[in-house]
Each structure stands twice: as C-alpha cells, then as structure tokens.
Coordinates of all heavy atoms in Angstrom, one line a residue:
M6 N 0.8 -1.2 0.0 CA 0.0 0.0 0.0 C 0.8 1.4 0.1 O 0.3 2.4 -0.4 CB -1.0 0.0 1.2 CG -1.9 -1.2 1.3 SD -3.0 -1.3 -0.1 CE -4.1 0.3 0.2
H7 N 2.1 1.1 0.5 CA 2.9 2.4 0.6 C 3.3 2.9 -0.8 O 3.9 4.1 -0.9 CB 4.1 2.0 1.4 CG 5.1 1.0 0.8 ND1 4.7 -0.3 0.9 CD2 6.2 1.1 0.1 CE1 5.7 -1.0 0.2 NE2 6.6 -0.2 -0.3
V8 N 3.1 2.2 -1.9 CA 3.6 2.8 -3.2 C 2.4 3.4 -3.9 O 2.4 4.0 -5.0 CB 3.9 1.6 -4.2 CG1 5.3 0.9 -3.5 CG2 2.9 0.6 -4.3
F9 N 1.2 3.4 -3.3 CA 0.0 4.0 -3.9 C -0.3 5.4 -3.2 O -0.1 5.5 -2.0 CB -1.3 3.2 -3.8 CG -1.3 2.0 -4.5 CD1 -0.8 0.8 -3.9 CD2 -1.5 2.1 -6.0 CE1 -0.8 -0.5 -4.8 CE2 -1.4 0.8 -6.7 CZ -1.0 -0.5 -6.1
E10 N -0.7 6.3 -4.0 CA -1.1 7.6 -3.4 C -2.4 7.5 -2.7 O -3.3 6.9 -3.3 CB -1.2 8.7 -4.6 CG -1.7 10.0 -4.1 CD -1.9 11.0 -5.4 OE1 -1.7 10.6 -6.5 OE2 -2.3 12.1 -5.1
H11 N -2.6 7.9 -1.5 CA -3.9 7.7 -0.8 C -4.8 8.9 -1.3 O -4.4 10.0 -1.1 CB -3.7 7.8 0.7 CG -2.9 6.7 1.1 ND1 -3.4 5.9 2.2 CD2 -1.8 6.0 0.7 CE1 -2.6 4.9 2.3 NE2 -1.6 4.9 1.5
V12 N -5.9 8.4 -1.8 CA -7.0 9.4 -2.4 C -8.3 9.0 -1.6 O -8.7 7.9 -1.7 CB -7.0 9.4 -3.8 CG1 -8.2 10.3 -4.3 CG2 -5.7 9.6 -4.5
P13 N -9.0 10.0 -1.1 CA -10.3 9.7 -0.4 C -11.3 9.0 -1.4 O -11.3 9.6 -2.6 CB -10.8 10.9 0.2 CG -9.6 11.9 0.2 CD -8.7 11.4 -0.9
Q14 N -12.1 8.2 -1.0 CA -13.2 7.6 -1.8 C -14.2 8.7 -2.1 O -14.5 9.5 -1.2 CB -13.8 6.5 -1.0 CG -15.0 5.8 -1.9 CD -15.6 4.6 -1.1 OE1 -15.3 4.4 -0.1 NE2 -16.2 3.9 -1.8
R15 N -14.6 8.8 -3.3 CA -15.7 9.7 -3.5 C -17.1 8.9 -3.5 O -17.2 7.8 -4.0 CB -15.6 10.2 -5.1 CG -14.6 11.3 -5.1 CD -14.5 11.7 -6.7 NE -13.4 12.7 -6.8 CZ -13.6 13.9 -7.0 NH1 -14.8 14.5 -7.0 NH2 -12.6 14.8 -7.2
H16 N -18.0 9.6 -2.9 CA -19.3 8.9 -2.8 C -20.3 9.6 -3.7 O -20.3 10.9 -3.7 CB -19.8 9.0 -1.3 CG -19.0 8.1 -0.5 ND1 -19.1 6.8 -0.4 CD2 -17.9 8.5 0.4 CE1 -18.4 6.2 0.6 NE2 -17.6 7.2 1.0
G17 N -21.1 9.0 -4.4 CA -22.2 9.5 -5.2 C -23.3 10.1 -4.3 O -23.3 9.7 -3.1
A18 N -24.0 10.9 -4.9 CA -25.2 11.6 -4.2 C -26.2 10.4 -3.8 O -26.4 9.5 -4.5 CB -25.8 12.7 -5.0
E19 N -26.8 10.7 -2.6 CA -28.0 9.8 -2.2 C -29.1 10.6 -1.7 O -28.9 11.8 -1.2 CB -27.4 9.0 -1.1 CG -26.3 7.9 -1.4 CD -25.9 7.0 -0.4 OE1 -26.3 7.3 0.9 OE2 -25.2 6.0 -0.7
L20 N -30.2 10.0 -1.8 CA -31.4 10.7 -1.3 C -31.4 10.8 0.2 O -30.8 10.0 0.7 CB -32.7 10.0 -1.6 CG -33.1 10.1 -3.1 CD1 -34.5 9.4 -3.3 CD2 -33.3 11.5 -3.7
P21 N -31.7 12.0 0.8 CA -31.8 12.0 2.3 C -32.8 11.1 2.8 O -33.8 10.6 2.2 CB -32.4 13.5 2.5 CG -32.4 14.1 1.1 CD -32.3 13.2 0.1
A22 N -32.4 10.5 4.0 CA -33.4 9.5 4.6 C -34.7 9.9 4.7 O -35.6 9.0 4.5 CB -32.6 9.3 6.1
A23 N -35.1 11.1 5.0 CA -36.5 11.5 5.1 C -37.3 11.3 3.7 O -38.3 10.8 3.8 CB -36.6 13.0 5.6
T24 N -36.5 11.5 2.6 CA -37.1 11.3 1.3 C -37.2 9.8 1.0 O -38.3 9.5 0.3 CB -36.3 12.1 0.3 OG1 -36.1 13.3 0.7 CG2 -37.0 12.1 -1.1
R25 N -36.2 9.0 1.4 CA -36.3 7.6 1.1 C -37.5 6.9 1.6 O -38.1 6.0 1.0 CB -35.2 6.9 1.7 CG -33.9 7.4 1.2 CD -32.7 6.6 1.8 NE -31.5 7.3 1.6 CZ -30.3 6.8 2.1 NH1 -30.3 5.7 2.7 NH2 -29.2 7.4 1.8
T26 N -38.0 7.3 2.7 CA -39.1 6.6 3.4 C -40.4 7.0 2.7 O -41.5 6.3 3.1 CB -39.2 6.9 4.8 OG1 -39.3 8.4 5.1 CG2 -37.9 6.5 5.6
R27 N -40.5 7.9 1.9 CA -41.7 8.3 1.2 C -41.8 8.3 -0.2 O -42.7 8.7 -0.9 CB -42.0 9.9 1.7 CG -42.5 10.0 3.1 CD -42.9 11.4 3.5 NE -41.7 12.0 4.2 CZ -41.1 13.1 3.8 NH1 -41.4 13.7 2.7 NH2 -40.1 13.5 4.4
S28 N -40.8 7.5 -0.9 CA -40.8 7.3 -2.2 C -40.1 6.0 -2.7 O -39.6 5.5 -1.9 CB -40.3 8.6 -2.9 OG -38.9 8.4 -3.1
F29 N -40.3 5.7 -3.9 CA -39.6 4.6 -4.5 C -38.5 5.0 -5.3 O -38.0 4.2 -6.2 CB -40.5 3.6 -5.1 CG -41.4 2.8 -4.2 CD1 -42.8 3.2 -4.0 CD2 -40.8 1.8 -3.5 CE1 -43.6 2.5 -3.2 CE2 -41.7 1.0 -2.6 CZ -43.1 1.5 -2.4
V30 N -38.2 6.2 -5.3 CA -37.1 6.9 -6.2 C -35.8 6.2 -5.8 O -35.5 6.0 -4.7 CB -37.0 8.4 -6.0 CG1 -35.9 9.0 -6.8 CG2 -38.4 9.0 -6.5
E31 N -34.9 6.0 -6.8 CA -33.6 5.4 -6.6 C -33.0 6.2 -5.6 O -32.7 7.4 -5.6 CB -32.7 5.4 -7.8 CG -31.5 4.7 -7.8 CD -31.6 3.1 -7.7 OE1 -32.5 2.6 -8.2 OE2 -30.8 2.7 -6.9
V32 N -32.4 5.5 -4.5 CA -31.7 6.1 -3.4 C -30.2 6.7 -3.8 O -29.9 7.7 -3.5 CB -31.6 5.2 -2.2 CG1 -30.7 5.7 -1.2 CG2 -32.9 4.9 -1.7
R33 N -29.6 5.8 -4.5 CA -28.2 6.2 -5.0 C -28.3 6.9 -6.3 O -28.8 6.3 -7.3 CB -27.3 5.0 -4.9 CG -27.1 4.3 -3.6 CD -25.9 3.4 -3.6 NE -25.5 3.2 -2.1 CZ -25.9 2.0 -1.5 NH1 -26.5 1.2 -2.2 NH2 -25.5 1.7 -0.3
R34 N -28.0 8.1 -6.3 CA -28.1 8.9 -7.6 C -26.8 8.8 -8.5 O -26.9 9.5 -9.6 CB -28.3 10.4 -7.1 CG -29.4 10.6 -6.1 CD -30.7 10.0 -6.3 NE -31.2 10.7 -7.7 CZ -32.2 10.2 -8.3 NH1 -32.8 9.0 -7.9 NH2 -32.7 10.8 -9.4
G35 N -25.8 8.1 -8.0 CA -24.6 7.9 -8.9 C -23.7 9.1 -8.8 O -24.0 10.1 -8.0
Y36 N -22.6 9.0 -9.5 CA -21.6 10.1 -9.5 C -22.1 11.4 -10.2 O -22.9 11.2 -11.3 CB -20.3 9.6 -10.0 CG -19.5 8.6 -9.1 CD1 -19.3 7.4 -9.7 CD2 -19.2 9.0 -8.0 CE1 -18.7 6.4 -8.9 CE2 -18.7 8.1 -7.0 CZ -18.3 6.8 -7.6 OH -17.7 5.9 -6.7
D37 N -21.6 12.5 -9.8 CA -22.1 13.7 -10.5 C -21.0 14.0 -11.6 O -20.1 15.0 -11.5 CB -22.1 14.8 -9.4 CG -22.7 16.0 -9.9 OD1 -23.4 16.0 -10.9 OD2 -22.4 17.2 -9.3
G38 N -21.2 13.4 -12.7 CA -20.4 13.7 -13.9 C -19.2 12.7 -14.0 O -19.0 12.0 -13.1
A39 N -18.6 12.8 -15.2 CA -17.5 11.9 -15.5 C -16.3 12.2 -14.7 O -15.5 11.1 -14.5 CB -17.2 12.0 -17.1
Q40 N -16.1 13.3 -14.1 CA -14.9 13.5 -13.5 C -14.9 12.7 -12.1 O -13.8 12.1 -11.7 CB -14.8 15.0 -13.1 CG -13.4 15.4 -12.4 CD -13.2 16.9 -12.3 OE1 -14.1 17.6 -12.6 NE2 -12.1 17.3 -11.6
D41 N -16.0 12.7 -11.5 CA -16.2 11.8 -10.3 C -15.8 10.4 -10.5 O -15.2 9.7 -9.8 CB -17.5 12.1 -9.6 CG -17.6 13.3 -8.7 OD1 -16.5 14.0 -8.6 OD2 -18.6 13.5 -8.0
A42 N -16.5 10.0 -11.6 CA -16.4 8.5 -12.0 C -15.0 8.2 -12.4 O -14.2 7.2 -11.9 CB -17.2 8.1 -13.2
T43 N -14.3 9.1 -13.1 CA -12.9 8.8 -13.5 C -11.9 8.9 -12.4 O -11.1 8.1 -12.2 CB -12.5 9.9 -14.5 OG1 -13.5 10.0 -15.7 CG2 -11.1 9.7 -15.1
S44 N -12.2 9.8 -11.5 CA -11.4 9.8 -10.2 C -11.5 8.7 -9.4 O -10.5 8.1 -8.9 CB -11.8 11.1 -9.4 OG -11.3 11.2 -8.1
E45 N -12.7 8.1 -9.3 CA -12.9 7.0 -8.4 C -12.3 5.8 -9.2 O -11.6 5.0 -8.5 CB -14.5 6.8 -8.3 CG -14.7 5.7 -7.3 CD -14.1 5.9 -5.7 OE1 -13.7 7.1 -5.6 OE2 -14.0 5.0 -5.0
A46 N -12.4 5.7 -10.4 CA -11.8 4.6 -11.3 C -10.2 4.5 -11.0 O -9.6 3.4 -11.0 CB -12.3 4.6 -12.7
A47 N -9.6 5.8 -10.9 CA -8.2 5.9 -10.8 C -7.7 5.5 -9.6 O -6.5 5.2 -9.3 CB -7.8 7.4 -11.0
R48 N -8.5 5.1 -8.5 CA -8.2 4.6 -7.3 C -7.9 3.1 -7.4 O -7.5 2.5 -6.3 CB -9.1 4.9 -6.2 CG -9.4 6.4 -6.0 CD -10.5 6.7 -5.0 NE -10.0 6.2 -3.7 CZ -10.9 5.2 -3.0 NH1 -11.9 4.6 -3.6 NH2 -10.4 4.8 -1.9
C49 N -8.3 2.5 -8.5 CA -8.3 1.0 -8.7 C -6.7 0.6 -8.5 O -6.0 1.2 -9.1 CB -8.8 0.7 -9.9 SG -8.6 -1.0 -10.3
F50 N -6.5 -0.4 -7.8 CA -5.2 -0.9 -7.5 C -4.8 -1.9 -8.7 O -3.6 -2.3 -8.8 CB -5.2 -1.8 -6.3 CG -5.4 -0.9 -5.1 CD1 -5.9 -1.6 -3.9 CD2 -4.8 0.3 -4.9 CE1 -6.0 -0.8 -2.8 CE2 -4.9 1.0 -3.8 CZ -5.5 0.5 -2.7
S51 N -5.7 -2.2 -9.5 CA -5.5 -3.3 -10.6 C -4.9 -4.4 -10.1 O -3.8 -5.0 -10.5 CB -4.5 -2.6 -11.7 OG -5.1 -1.5 -12.2
C52 N -5.5 -5.1 -9.0 CA -4.8 -6.3 -8.5 C -4.8 -7.3 -9.5 O -5.7 -7.5 -10.3 CB -5.8 -6.7 -7.3 SG -6.0 -5.5 -6.0
G53 N -3.8 -8.0 -9.5 CA -3.5 -9.2 -10.4 C -3.1 -8.8 -11.9 O -2.9 -9.7 -12.7
V54 N -3.1 -7.5 -12.1 CA -2.8 -7.1 -13.6 C -1.4 -6.3 -13.5 O -1.4 -5.3 -12.9 CB -3.9 -6.1 -14.0 CG1 -3.6 -5.7 -15.5 CG2 -5.2 -6.8 -14.0
C55 N -0.5 -6.8 -14.2 CA 0.7 -6.1 -14.4 C 0.7 -4.9 -15.1 O 0.3 -4.8 -16.2 CB 1.9 -7.1 -15.0 SG 3.5 -6.4 -15.2
N56 N 1.3 -3.8 -14.5 CA 1.3 -2.6 -15.3 C 2.6 -2.0 -15.6 O 2.9 -1.0 -15.8 CB 0.5 -1.5 -14.5 CG 1.3 -0.9 -13.3 OD1 2.2 -1.6 -12.9 ND2 0.9 0.2 -12.7
S57 N 3.5 -3.1 -15.7 CA 5.0 -2.8 -16.1 C 5.7 -1.8 -15.4 O 6.3 -0.9 -15.9 CB 5.0 -2.4 -17.6 OG 4.3 -3.5 -18.3
C58 N 5.4 -1.9 -14.0 CA 6.0 -0.7 -13.3 C 7.6 -1.0 -13.0 O 8.3 -0.2 -12.4 CB 5.3 -0.6 -11.8 SG 5.6 -2.1 -10.7
D59 N 8.1 -2.2 -13.1 CA 9.4 -2.7 -13.1 C 9.9 -2.9 -11.6 O 11.0 -2.9 -11.4 CB 10.3 -1.7 -13.8 CG 10.3 -2.1 -15.3 OD1 9.9 -3.2 -15.7 OD2 10.9 -1.2 -16.0
R60 N 9.1 -2.6 -10.7 CA 9.5 -2.8 -9.4 C 10.1 -4.2 -9.0 O 11.1 -4.3 -8.4 CB 8.4 -2.6 -8.3 CG 8.0 -1.1 -8.1 CD 6.9 -1.0 -7.0 NE 7.3 -1.4 -5.7 CZ 7.9 -0.6 -4.9 NH1 8.1 0.7 -5.3 NH2 8.3 -1.0 -3.6
C61 N 9.6 -5.3 -9.5 CA 10.2 -6.6 -9.4 C 11.6 -6.7 -9.8 O 12.4 -7.2 -9.3 CB 9.2 -7.5 -10.0 SG 8.8 -7.3 -11.8
V62 N 11.7 -6.1 -11.0 CA 13.0 -6.0 -11.7 C 14.0 -5.4 -10.8 O 15.2 -5.8 -10.6 CB 13.0 -5.5 -13.1 CG1 14.4 -5.4 -13.7 CG2 12.0 -6.4 -14.0
E63 N 13.6 -4.1 -10.4 CA 14.6 -3.3 -9.6 C 14.9 -3.8 -8.3 O 16.0 -3.6 -7.7 CB 13.9 -1.9 -9.5 CG 13.7 -1.1 -10.9 CD 12.8 0.0 -10.7 OE1 12.2 0.2 -9.7 OE2 12.5 0.6 -11.7
H64 N 14.0 -4.5 -7.7 CA 14.3 -5.0 -6.4 C 14.9 -6.4 -6.3 O 15.4 -6.8 -5.2 CB 13.0 -5.0 -5.5 CG 12.6 -3.6 -5.1 ND1 12.0 -2.8 -5.9 CD2 12.9 -3.0 -4.0 CE1 11.8 -1.7 -5.3 NE2 12.3 -1.7 -4.1
C65 N 14.9 -7.1 -7.3 CA 15.5 -8.5 -7.2 C 17.1 -8.4 -7.0 O 17.8 -7.7 -7.7 CB 15.4 -9.2 -8.6 SG 16.2 -10.8 -8.7
P66 N 17.4 -8.9 -5.8 CA 18.9 -8.8 -5.4 C 19.8 -9.6 -6.4 O 21.0 -9.2 -6.3 CB 18.8 -9.3 -3.9 CG 17.7 -10.2 -3.9 CD 16.6 -9.7 -4.9
E67 N 19.2 -10.5 -7.0 CA 20.1 -11.3 -7.9 C 20.2 -10.7 -9.2 O 21.0 -11.2 -10.0 CB 19.6 -12.8 -7.9 CG 19.6 -13.4 -6.6 CD 20.9 -13.4 -6.0 OE1 21.9 -14.0 -6.5 OE2 21.1 -13.1 -4.7
G68 N 19.3 -9.8 -9.7 CA 19.4 -9.3 -10.9 C 19.1 -10.3 -12.0 O 19.5 -10.1 -13.2
I69 N 18.2 -11.3 -11.7 CA 17.9 -12.4 -12.7 C 16.6 -12.2 -13.4 O 16.1 -13.0 -14.2 CB 18.0 -13.7 -12.1 CG1 17.1 -13.9 -10.8 CG2 19.6 -13.9 -11.5 CD1 15.9 -14.5 -11.0
L70 N 15.9 -11.1 -13.0 CA 14.5 -10.8 -13.6 C 14.9 -9.9 -14.8 O 15.5 -8.9 -14.6 CB 13.7 -10.1 -12.6 CG 12.5 -10.9 -12.1 CD1 11.9 -10.2 -10.9 CD2 11.4 -11.0 -13.1
R71 N 14.3 -10.3 -15.9 CA 14.5 -9.5 -17.0 C 13.2 -9.0 -17.8 O 12.2 -9.7 -17.8 CB 15.4 -10.4 -18.0 CG 15.9 -9.8 -19.3 CD 16.8 -10.7 -20.0 NE 16.2 -12.1 -20.2 CZ 15.4 -12.5 -21.1 NH1 15.2 -11.5 -22.0 NH2 15.0 -13.7 -21.3
R72 N 13.2 -8.0 -18.4 CA 12.0 -7.5 -19.1 C 12.5 -7.3 -20.6 O 13.4 -6.5 -20.9 CB 11.5 -6.1 -18.6 CG 10.4 -5.6 -19.3 CD 10.0 -4.2 -18.8 NE 8.9 -3.7 -19.5 CZ 8.4 -2.4 -19.3 NH1 9.0 -1.6 -18.3 NH2 7.3 -2.0 -20.0
D73 N 11.7 -7.8 -21.5 CA 11.8 -7.5 -23.0 C 10.4 -7.4 -23.6 O 9.4 -7.1 -22.9 CB 12.6 -8.6 -23.6 CG 12.0 -9.9 -23.6 OD1 10.7 -10.0 -23.4 OD2 12.8 -11.0 -23.7
A74 N 10.4 -7.4 -24.9 CA 9.2 -7.1 -25.6 C 8.1 -8.1 -25.3 O 7.0 -7.8 -25.5 CB 9.5 -7.1 -27.1
D75 N 8.5 -9.3 -24.8 CA 7.6 -10.4 -24.5 C 7.1 -10.4 -23.1 O 6.4 -11.2 -22.8 CB 8.2 -11.8 -24.8 CG 8.4 -12.0 -26.4 OD1 7.7 -11.4 -27.2 OD2 9.6 -12.6 -26.7
G76 N 7.6 -9.5 -22.4 CA 7.1 -9.4 -20.8 C 8.4 -9.8 -20.0 O 9.5 -9.4 -20.3
Y77 N 8.0 -10.3 -18.7 CA 9.1 -10.5 -17.7 C 9.5 -11.9 -17.8 O 8.7 -12.6 -18.0 CB 8.5 -9.9 -16.4 CG 8.2 -8.5 -16.3 CD1 7.1 -8.0 -16.8 CD2 9.2 -7.6 -15.9 CE1 6.8 -6.6 -16.7 CE2 9.0 -6.3 -15.8 CZ 7.9 -5.8 -16.2 OH 7.6 -4.4 -16.1
H78 N 10.7 -12.0 -17.5 CA 11.2 -13.5 -17.6 C 12.1 -13.6 -16.3 O 12.8 -12.9 -15.7 CB 12.2 -13.7 -18.7 CG 11.4 -13.4 -20.0 ND1 10.6 -14.3 -20.6 CD2 11.4 -12.3 -20.8 CE1 10.1 -13.8 -21.7 NE2 10.5 -12.5 -21.8
F79 N 11.8 -14.9 -15.6 CA 12.6 -15.3 -14.3 C 13.6 -16.2 -14.9 O 13.3 -17.2 -15.6 CB 11.6 -15.8 -13.3 CG 10.7 -14.9 -12.7 CD1 9.6 -14.5 -13.3 CD2 10.9 -14.4 -11.5 CE1 8.7 -13.6 -12.8 CE2 10.0 -13.5 -10.8 CZ 8.9 -13.1 -11.5
D80 N 14.9 -16.2 -14.4 CA 15.9 -17.2 -14.7 C 15.9 -18.0 -13.4 O 16.7 -17.7 -12.4 CB 17.2 -16.4 -14.9 CG 18.2 -17.6 -15.3 OD1 18.0 -18.9 -15.2 OD2 19.3 -17.2 -16.0
Y81 N 15.1 -19.2 -13.3 CA 15.0 -20.0 -12.2 C 16.2 -20.6 -11.9 O 16.4 -21.2 -10.7 CB 13.8 -20.9 -12.5 CG 12.4 -20.3 -12.4 CD1 11.8 -20.3 -13.6 CD2 12.0 -19.6 -11.4 CE1 10.4 -19.7 -13.6 CE2 10.7 -18.8 -11.5 CZ 9.9 -19.0 -12.5 OH 8.8 -18.2 -12.6
D82 N 17.2 -20.8 -12.7 CA 18.5 -21.4 -12.5 C 19.2 -20.6 -11.4 O 20.0 -21.2 -10.7 CB 19.3 -21.6 -13.7 CG 18.7 -22.7 -14.6 OD1 18.0 -23.6 -14.0 OD2 19.1 -22.6 -15.9
Y83 N 19.0 -19.3 -11.3 CA 19.7 -18.4 -10.5 C 18.8 -17.9 -9.4 O 19.4 -17.1 -8.5 CB 20.5 -17.3 -11.3 CG 21.5 -17.8 -12.2 CD1 21.3 -18.2 -13.5 CD2 22.8 -18.3 -11.7 CE1 22.2 -18.7 -14.4 CE2 23.7 -18.8 -12.5 CZ 23.4 -19.0 -13.8 OH 24.4 -19.6 -14.6
C84 N 17.5 -17.9 -9.5 CA 16.7 -17.4 -8.4 C 16.8 -18.1 -7.1 O 17.1 -19.4 -7.2 CB 15.1 -17.6 -8.9 SG 14.0 -17.2 -7.6
K85 N 17.2 -17.3 -6.1 CA 17.3 -18.0 -4.8 C 16.0 -18.1 -3.9 O 16.2 -18.5 -2.8 CB 18.4 -17.2 -4.1 CG 18.1 -15.8 -3.6 CD 19.3 -15.1 -2.9 CE 19.0 -13.7 -2.4 NZ 20.1 -13.1 -1.9
G86 N 14.9 -17.7 -4.6 CA 13.7 -17.8 -3.8 C 13.5 -17.0 -2.6 O 12.7 -17.4 -1.6
C87 N 14.0 -15.9 -2.7 CA 14.0 -14.9 -1.4 C 12.5 -14.3 -1.3 O 12.2 -13.9 -0.3 CB 15.0 -13.8 -1.6 SG 14.8 -12.7 -3.0
G88 N 11.8 -14.2 -2.5 CA 10.5 -13.6 -2.4 C 10.4 -12.1 -2.5 O 9.2 -11.6 -2.3
V89 N 11.5 -11.5 -2.6 CA 11.5 -10.0 -2.6 C 10.7 -9.5 -3.9 O 9.9 -8.7 -3.6 CB 12.9 -9.4 -2.8 CG1 12.9 -8.0 -3.1 CG2 13.8 -9.7 -1.5
C90 N 10.7 -10.1 -4.8 CA 9.9 -9.7 -6.1 C 8.5 -9.8 -5.9 O 7.6 -8.9 -6.1 CB 10.2 -10.6 -7.4 SG 10.1 -12.2 -7.0
A91 N 8.0 -10.9 -5.0 CA 6.6 -11.0 -4.8 C 6.2 -10.0 -3.7 O 5.1 -9.4 -3.8 CB 6.3 -12.4 -4.2
T92 N 7.1 -9.7 -2.7 CA 6.8 -8.7 -1.7 C 6.6 -7.3 -2.3 O 5.8 -6.6 -2.0 CB 7.9 -8.7 -0.6 OG1 8.0 -10.1 -0.2 CG2 7.5 -7.8 0.4
E93 N 7.5 -7.1 -3.3 CA 7.5 -5.6 -3.8 C 6.5 -5.5 -4.9 O 6.2 -4.3 -5.2 CB 8.9 -5.4 -4.4 CG 9.9 -5.2 -3.3 CD 9.7 -4.0 -2.4 OE1 9.1 -3.1 -2.8 OE2 10.1 -4.1 -1.2
C94 N 5.9 -6.5 -5.5 CA 4.9 -6.4 -6.6 C 3.7 -5.7 -5.9 O 3.0 -6.3 -5.1 CB 4.5 -7.7 -7.2 SG 3.3 -7.4 -8.4
P95 N 3.2 -4.5 -6.2 CA 2.2 -3.9 -5.6 C 0.8 -4.4 -6.0 O -0.3 -4.1 -5.4 CB 2.3 -2.4 -5.9 CG 3.2 -2.4 -7.2 CD 4.0 -3.7 -7.2
R96 N 0.8 -5.2 -7.0 CA -0.4 -5.7 -7.5 C -0.7 -7.2 -7.4 O -1.5 -7.8 -8.1 CB -0.6 -5.4 -9.0 CG -0.7 -3.8 -9.1 CD -0.8 -3.3 -10.4 NE -1.1 -1.8 -10.3 CZ -0.2 -0.9 -10.1 NH1 1.0 -1.2 -9.8 NH2 -0.5 0.3 -10.0
S97 N 0.2 -7.9 -6.6 CA 0.1 -9.3 -6.4 C 0.2 -10.1 -7.6 O -0.5 -11.1 -7.7 CB -1.1 -9.6 -5.5 OG -1.1 -9.0 -4.3
V98 N 0.9 -9.6 -8.7 CA 0.9 -10.4 -9.8 C 2.0 -11.5 -9.7 O 1.9 -12.7 -10.0 CB 1.5 -9.5 -11.1 CG1 1.8 -10.4 -12.3 CG2 0.4 -8.4 -11.3
V99 N 3.1 -11.2 -8.8 CA 4.2 -12.2 -8.7 C 3.8 -12.9 -7.3 O 3.4 -12.2 -6.3 CB 5.6 -11.5 -8.6 CG1 6.6 -12.5 -8.2 CG2 5.9 -10.7 -9.7
F100 N 3.8 -14.1 -7.3 CA 3.6 -14.9 -6.1 C 4.6 -16.0 -6.1 O 5.1 -16.5 -7.0 CB 2.2 -15.3 -5.9 CG 1.7 -16.2 -7.0 CD1 1.8 -17.6 -6.9 CD2 1.2 -15.6 -8.2 CE1 1.4 -18.4 -7.9 CE2 0.8 -16.5 -9.2 CZ 0.7 -17.8 -9.2
M101 N 4.8 -16.5 -4.8 CA 5.7 -17.7 -4.6 C 4.9 -18.9 -4.6 O 3.8 -19.1 -4.0 CB 6.5 -17.5 -3.3 CG 7.2 -16.2 -3.1 SD 8.5 -16.0 -4.3 CE 9.7 -17.2 -3.7
A102 N 5.4 -19.9 -5.3 CA 4.7 -21.3 -5.3 C 5.8 -22.3 -5.5 O 6.9 -22.2 -6.1 CB 3.8 -21.4 -6.5
E103 N 5.5 -23.5 -5.0 CA 6.6 -24.6 -5.1 C 6.2 -25.2 -6.5 O 5.2 -25.4 -6.9 CB 6.2 -25.7 -4.0 CG 6.6 -25.2 -2.6 CD 6.9 -26.3 -1.7 OE1 7.2 -27.4 -2.2 OE2 6.6 -26.1 -0.5
L104 N 7.5 -25.6 -7.2 CA 7.3 -26.2 -8.4 C 7.2 -27.6 -8.3 O 7.8 -28.2 -7.4 CB 8.6 -25.8 -9.3 CG 8.7 -24.3 -9.6 CD1 10.0 -24.0 -10.4 CD2 7.6 -23.8 -10.4
Ligands
LIG229 S1 12.6 -14.7 -5.6 FE1 14.4 -13.3 -5.1 S2 16.0 -14.0 -6.5 FE2 14.2 -14.8 -7.2 S3 13.4 -13.5 -8.8 FE3 12.3 -13.0 -7.0 S4 13.6 -11.3 -5.9 FE4 14.8 -12.4 -7.4
LIG230 S1 4.9 -8.0 -11.9 FE1 4.2 -6.5 -10.4 S2 6.2 -5.5 -9.8 FE2 6.6 -6.5 -11.7 S3 6.2 -5.0 -13.2 FE3 4.3 -6.2 -13.0 S4 3.1 -5.0 -11.5 FE4 5.2 -4.2 -11.4

C-alpha cells in the first residue's frame, strides 16, 4: 500500500433518509459527472494485473529478472527464492509457489 497515493473515496449523491421513506425513487443517484467517476476509477489498484512498473526487476537482489518485448522473465536457475519480487509487486502479480 505504501506505493500508492492515498486518495479519499468519492461517494455519489444519495437521497436524504427522510425522502427515502416516502418514495420509491432510486436512493443512490450515482456520480455527479464523468470527473467523479474517472477519479474513483483511478483509485483502482489493478490487483493481479501487471502494469509494467518494473518494481520486481529493480528489487531482485540477484538481478535475474529481465524485461523484454515479450514481458518479464525469471531465470529460475539463479533465483534464490527470497520472495522479494513477490513482496515488492504492488499488484500481487508475482507470487511464490512450489514447483
Ligand atoms: S525470488 Fe528473489 S532472487 Fe528470485 S526473482 Fe524474486 S527477487 Fe529475484
Ligand atoms: S509483476 Fe508486479 S512489480 Fe513486476 S512490473 Fe508487474 S506490477 Fe510491477
């Protein structure tokens, strides 16, 4: 979480409680314009989706993670299994598993 900018959640407009009890009108009115919706969407962590931030490559103490046009490559012959890449990946794309 320390790598993300903390931005407060935006809440869409809602009908006041007194009005809700006297009508069947939709309570949640949604965001007020595209700017609110875009701002809220920008808070998405994109969990599980690599956005090519290169943190895993930069933090691997062995320097065996490589990025090229086909994506990221681990050289398992030299990986010592420290798990730093998994810890540093802010989107949980990298994880440790027994082979
Ligand atoms: S487990 Fe450690 S050595 Fe292996 S790729 Fe990740 S950071 Fe590098
Ligand atoms: S696997 Fe994770 S740390 Fe590596 S580039 Fe993708 S998002 Fe960043």
Side-chain angles (χ1 to χ4, degrees):
M6 298 300 288
H7 61 284
V8 300
F9 292 101
E10 181 184 358
H11 290 234
V12 177
Q14 182 180 9
R15 286 178 183 254
H16 296 278
E19 294 184 351
L20 284 185
T24 310
R25 298 179 196 185
T26 58
R27 281 184 264 119
S28 82
F29 289 101
V30 175
E31 185 70 41
V32 170
R33 295 198 169 98
R34 311 305 297 170
Y36 291 121
D37 186 22
Q40 188 176 356
D41 271 0
T43 303
S44 164
E45 191 59 14
R48 297 175 69 243
C49 174
F50 294 147
S51 299
C52 301
V54 178
C55 178
N56 71 343
S57 305
C58 69
D59 280 349
R60 283 184 66 87
C61 51
V62 175
E63 293 164 1
H64 285 81
C65 173
E67 301 300 310
I69 56 93
L70 249 164
R71 186 173 51 84
R72 176 186 183 187
D73 63 21
D75 295 328
Y77 293 87
H78 305 279
F79 294 76
D80 187 343
Y81 291 116
D82 289 339
Y83 294 98
C84 172
K85 66 182 181 185
C87 64
V89 171
C90 52
T92 302
E93 290 297 330
C94 177
R96 295 177 170 79
S97 300
V98 176
V99 182
F100 58 93
M101 303 297 287
E103 290 198 29
L104 296 175

